Amino acid sequence: MSVTAPAGFRAAGVTAGLKPSGRPDLALVVNDGPEHVGAAVFTQNRVAAAPVLWSRTAVGDGVVRAVVLNSGGANACTGPEGFADTHRTAEHVGEVLDVSAADVLVCSTGLIGERLDMPALLGGVDTAATALSPSGGRAAAEAIMTTDTVTKQAAVTRSSQTGSWTVGGMAKGAGMLAPALATMLVVVTTDAVVEAADADAALRAAARVTFERVDSDGCLSTNDTVVLLASGASGVRADREELSDALTVVCGDLARQLVADAEGAAHDIAVTVSGATTEDAALAVARAVTRSNLVKTAIYGNDPNWGRILASAGTVPAEVAPFEPDAVDVAINGVTVCRGGGVGEDRTRVDLVSAREVRIDIDLHAGEAAVTVWTNDLTHDYVHENSAYST
Amino acid sequence: MSVTAPAGFRAAGVTAGLKPSGRPDLALVVNDGPEHVGAAVFTQNRVAAAPVLWSRTAVGDGVVRAVVLNSGGANACTGPEGFADTHRTAEHVGEVLDVSAADVLVCSTGLIGERLDMPALLGGVDTAATALSPSGGRAAAEAIMTTDTVTKQAAVTRSSQTGSWTVGGMAKGAGMLAPALATMLVVVTTDAVVEAADADAALRAAARVTFERVDSDGCLSTNDTVVLLASGASGVRADREELSDALTVVCGDLARQLVADAEGAAHDIAVTVSGATTEDAALAVARAVTRSNLVKTAIYGNDPNWGRILASAGTVPAEVAPFEPDAVDVAINGVTVCRGGGVGEDRTRVDLVSAREVRIDIDLHAGEAAVTVWTNDLTHDYVHENSAYST
């Protein structure tokens, strides 16, 4: 499990003292090689935090030796001074590990608009470096937790005639799921032998159908980062497609864990849109539904309110998603409560109480494309956690 | 005040029996002329309710004699039978008033996906027709209320050398503000002499800068309708610009009343984006902020969390709204808590407790355009009202 499941990686998680709670708050993941391939995807938010600005540049050459991650502060909206703090963090990790700072990525999560306690952070790096271990994955996964109630870890091993290779990963957050603490951070590792270009393409492909399809409140963090490190330590080569497939399994597993642990949620909701003309059309309709506060509050109230679902779908412009409103079927947990845009089966047959997981299936009857997006319901706890957070 | 403020109009509000509560639920507004100019704007939702489909066609010739409005049922997602119900309603109003059904607009608000009680509704039309009065505006405004706690009415009189003319109006809702009941309905009347084309253009111009700039939860109703009726009874001619100006005053007043009475809200929030390259750019940033659940829960928590405001602005693509994140200032109730994308004045100086109204001013420092969008905070009461509504 976790980032130390593949060969060639050591990790550590320690208490640097950034969190008032005194819980672990600094993680270090080191790629011992023999190869040091790295790739990453970042938040699309234009207000990107200092560590995102740094890491985006550092990963540009496809070489990454280590990732340092801290909870207890996002280092976002902190200006040139905040960027200098990130730079100094990377320099310090580079010195301690005897690698170039330009090959060190930095990830931060926590409050926006406040400087980090740099003495504490740098001391934590020293502690973490001495604690690095091939079995340190779990400790690292613990140190990046914010409002997460459990660690998120996953791994998969692939075998071929030439041998086997593994993908492991850890996650916290996510930005869209636990927005009070603003950030989804993910580190995925593999001991497969991969080209840098393949690593980049495979990570983007996997993220597109996993992390980009969980959407709790439509908010986009300033710090979201997904990193892939490849050590080549298995000696087994993986091509782009094989790597993408294994990454999709691990990232999909992590994404589902994020939904299951989302702040204040009472239900996990899988919105599947089928019968769309294109995948983009299906995605646009699914996002309109997953971002509707009315749908999300209805599910919280155990109310199979298909009218709100249909009305959300109707907000998508026809040029984006062609379909006839009068042709749409909506099923909630298997009961087709809306048929042909009107009343379908008896809504009292829908059971929303027995399970946390809710399935909403929308058939547009306009084509062959289908997409699933996960979200959560909108609850009193969500309002409480997000209104009581920073003051 | 209200729709009977201008000369040439009668109105009534009665109890037809559509609401289980027994409160007034049917309103009738009649234009006695001498002219019968009508214009209307409708929801952009593709899942449009039967009354929207009917009224959109009926207003096409620019002639409207009467509007019948009911609460207690939206008649949305009710299929061909629901459309037949709307048609029958218009026919019945036409018979009772001795006008063509094609000159009768229909508006409905309430639950989606249920048929209306037609005997009750048609009986209510008969009762309303006998109750029609030049002082019936207030009763009509009461009959269209759903979760509204007060009626919304407004009027303004304009004078020129040739005489004076009046614009009056009533509203309920709104779709985006009181989404549990799904709909913003507005009727605006005037006794000015106006061309049909001017009425249409002036109404669209006024709605664009008033009703389209209140946005409580980003949801778009299936039934939203804004109707303008012009009787010409003052004998005073108004050109497009004069009419648009007066309509903007009345519609702006009604829109502000809708925000002030939004379901479950504790704060009204005016988000003003200035220094944008274009009005569309300013509007895109303002909407990103007004639709952020994180911003809205922060304000509910009396937390001047400017990081969430800046992060919301950052989700708008650069091609839509060009600006430098490092140049942005954010002021909350006059305190510039974020300056140049970083920490500004002391956030503890922001007072969010003393007044319901909150001002968020975002200066992009990229141009000259500015826009204000109104919204509300996201509260426990919002979640309660919208999760407990239909079951």
Side-chain angles (χ1 to χ4, degrees):
Chain A
M1 293 286 279
S2 199
V3 291
T4 48
F9 293 95
R10 287 177 299 151
V14 300
T15 298
L18 302 169
K19 281 180 180 167
S21 66
R23 304 185 69 168
D25 50 18
L26 189 130
L28 195 55
V29 181
V30 177
N31 179 355
D32 288 323
E35 298 185 353
H36 304 96
V37 171
V41 294
F42 300 96
T43 179
Q44 299 295 306
N45 198 313
R46 291 158 69 192
V47 180
V52 168
L53 298 176
W54 169 269
S55 298
R56 205 182 263 156
T57 302
V59 78
D61 63 356
V63 178
V64 178
R65 296 248 175 189
V67 185
V68 58
L69 311 94
N70 74 274
S71 49
N75 198 8
C77 305
T78 44
E81 296 83 2
F83 188 82
D85 289 342
T86 290
H87 190 172
R88 196 162 151 225
T89 303
E91 291 278 3
H92 192 72
V93 171
E95 283 162 22
V96 169
L97 299 178
D98 197 21
V99 300
S100 165
D103 296 336
V104 177
L105 303 191
V106 182
C107 302
S108 300
T109 177
L111 257 183
I112 296 178
E114 291 187 2
R115 297 279 300 279
L116 292 168
D117 177 348
M118 286 304 292
L121 195 156
L122 299 181
V125 169
D126 296 336
T127 311
T130 64
L132 283 169
S133 155
S135 59
R138 183 175 179 83
E142 276 169 8
I144 60 174
M145 289 167 63
T146 50
T147 54
D148 307 68
T149 64
V150 292
T151 64
K152 284 88 181 176
Q153 305 172 71
V156 65
T157 296
R158 291 293 161 95
S159 301
S160 67
Q161 292 179 323
T162 53
S164 69
W165 50 280
T166 297
V167 172
M170 66 178 185
K172 66 81 40 181
M176 294 173 173
L177 294 159
L181 287 156
T183 295
M184 174 181 76
L185 298 183
V186 181
V187 179
V188 183
T189 54
T190 182
D191 51 15
V193 179
V194 297
E195 303 295 325
D198 289 341
D200 184 71
L203 182 63
R204 285 176 197 283
R208 193 177 68 83
V209 296
T210 56
F211 299 119
E212 290 179 22
R213 295 205 179 153
V214 294
D215 184 354
S216 178
D217 69 356
C219 295
L220 190 67
S221 151
T222 51
N223 291 57
D224 287 336
T225 303
V226 181
V227 177
L228 169 64
L229 308 175
S231 69
S234 72
V236 182
R237 186 164 292 276
D239 67 19
R240 186 177 298 192
E241 199 174 330
E242 292 165 337
L243 181 61
S244 171
D245 184 67
L247 286 176
T248 301
V249 171
V250 169
C251 293
D253 190 338
L254 292 172
R256 185 68 189 81
Q257 291 180 51
L258 291 170
V259 170
D261 194 30
E263 251 177 21
H267 290 96
D268 305 342
I269 309 170
V271 176
T272 299
V273 176
S274 62
T277 52
T278 63
E279 187 179 309
D280 282 351
L283 196 56
V285 173
R287 287 211 190 285
V289 175
T290 57
R291 291 184 179 173
S292 164
N293 281 351
L294 291 183
V295 172
K296 292 151 70 82
T297 46
I299 298 298
Y300 173 52
N302 297 314
D303 171 14
N305 195 321
W306 59 268
R308 293 184 185 177
I309 297 169
L310 197 61
S312 299
T315 63
V316 179
E319 59 271 25
V320 174
F323 66 86
E324 287 300 324
D326 287 351
V328 176
D329 295 337
V330 178
I332 303 177
N333 280 352
V335 181
T336 306
V337 284
C338 167
R339 201 179 289 282
V343 180
E345 294 175 45
D346 184 0
R347 41 170 280 149
T348 63
R349 289 184 46 218
V350 179
D351 174 13
L352 288 170
V353 179
S354 303
R356 180 180 166 99
E357 186 168 320
V358 175
R359 283 171 296 115
I360 297 177
D361 294 290
I362 303 166
D363 189 341
L364 301 177
H365 290 291
E368 300 296 323
V371 153
T372 297
V373 175
W374 283 89
T375 188
N376 295 103
D377 52 355
L378 177 55
T379 69
H380 283 295
D381 283 352
Y382 176 93
V383 173
H384 175 72
E385 294 197 33
N386 287 296
S387 61
Y389 177 64
S390 94
T391 45
Chain B
M1 292 286 278
S2 198
V3 291
T4 46
F9 294 94
R10 288 177 298 150
V14 301
T15 298
L18 302 169
K19 282 181 181 168
S21 66
R23 302 184 70 166
D25 49 18
L26 190 129
L28 194 56
V29 181
V30 177
N31 179 355
D32 288 322
E35 298 185 355
H36 304 97
V37 171
V41 293
F42 301 96
T43 179
Q44 299 296 305
N45 199 314
R46 290 157 70 191
V47 180
V52 169
L53 299 177
W54 169 268
S55 299
R56 205 181 263 156
T57 302
V59 79
D61 63 356
V63 178
V64 178
R65 295 247 174 191
V67 185
V68 58
L69 311 94
N70 74 274
S71 48
N75 197 8
C77 305
T78 44
E81 296 82 3
F83 188 81
D85 289 342
T86 291
H87 189 171
R88 197 162 149 226
T89 303
E91 291 278 4
H92 191 73
V93 171
E95 284 162 20
V96 170
L97 299 179
D98 196 21
V99 300
S100 163
D103 296 337
V104 177
L105 304 192
V106 182
C107 302
S108 300
T109 177
L111 257 182
I112 296 178
E114 291 187 3
R115 297 278 300 280
L116 292 168
D117 178 347
M118 287 304 292
L121 195 155
L122 298 182
V125 168
D126 295 336
T127 310
T130 63
L132 283 168
S133 153
S135 59
R138 183 176 179 83
E142 276 170 9
I144 60 174
M145 288 167 64
T146 51
T147 54
D148 306 68
T149 64
V150 292
T151 63
K152 285 87 181 176
Q153 305 171 72
V156 65
T157 297
R158 292 293 160 96
S159 301
S160 67
Q161 291 179 322
T162 53
S164 68
W165 51 279
T166 297
V167 171
M170 68 176 184
K172 65 82 41 180
M176 294 174 172
L177 294 159
L181 288 156
T183 295
M184 173 181 78
L185 299 182
V186 181
V187 178
V188 183
T189 53
T190 182
D191 51 15
V193 178
V194 297
E195 302 295 326
D198 288 341
D200 184 70
L203 181 64
R204 286 177 196 283
R208 193 177 70 82
V209 296
T210 56
F211 298 119
E212 290 178 22
R213 296 205 179 152
V214 294
D215 185 353
S216 178
D217 69 356
C219 295
L220 190 67
S221 151
T222 51
N223 292 57
D224 287 336
T225 303
V226 181
V227 176
L228 168 64
L229 308 176
S231 69
S234 71
V236 181
R237 185 164 292 277
D239 67 18
R240 186 177 298 191
E241 199 173 331
E242 292 166 337
L243 180 60
S244 171
D245 184 67
L247 286 176
T248 300
V249 171
V250 169
C251 293
D253 189 338
L254 292 172
R256 185 68 188 83
Q257 291 181 50
L258 291 170
V259 169
D261 193 30
E263 252 178 21
H267 290 96
D268 305 341
I269 310 170
V271 176
T272 299
V273 176
S274 62
T277 52
T278 63
E279 187 178 310
D280 281 351
L283 196 56
V285 173
R287 288 212 189 284
V289 175
T290 56
R291 290 184 180 174
S292 164
N293 281 351
L294 292 182
V295 172
K296 291 150 71 80
T297 46
I299 298 299
Y300 173 52
N302 297 315
D303 172 12
N305 196 321
W306 59 268
R308 294 184 183 177
I309 296 168
L310 199 59
S312 299
T315 63
V316 178
E319 61 269 26
V320 175
F323 66 85
E324 286 301 321
D326 288 352
V328 177
D329 296 337
V330 178
I332 304 177
N333 279 353
V335 181
T336 307
V337 286
C338 167
R339 201 179 291 281
V343 180
E345 294 175 47
D346 184 1
R347 39 170 283 152
T348 63
R349 289 186 45 219
V350 179
D351 174 13
L352 289 169
V353 179
S354 303
R356 179 180 167 101
E357 185 168 322
V358 175
R359 284 172 295 114
I360 296 178
D361 294 289
I362 303 166
D363 190 340
L364 301 178
H365 290 291
E368 301 296 323
V371 152
T372 297
V373 175
W374 284 89
T375 188
N376 295 103
D377 52 355
L378 177 56
T379 69
H380 283 295
D381 283 352
Y382 176 93
V383 173
H384 175 73
E385 293 198 34
N386 286 295
S387 61
Y389 176 63
S390 96
T391 46

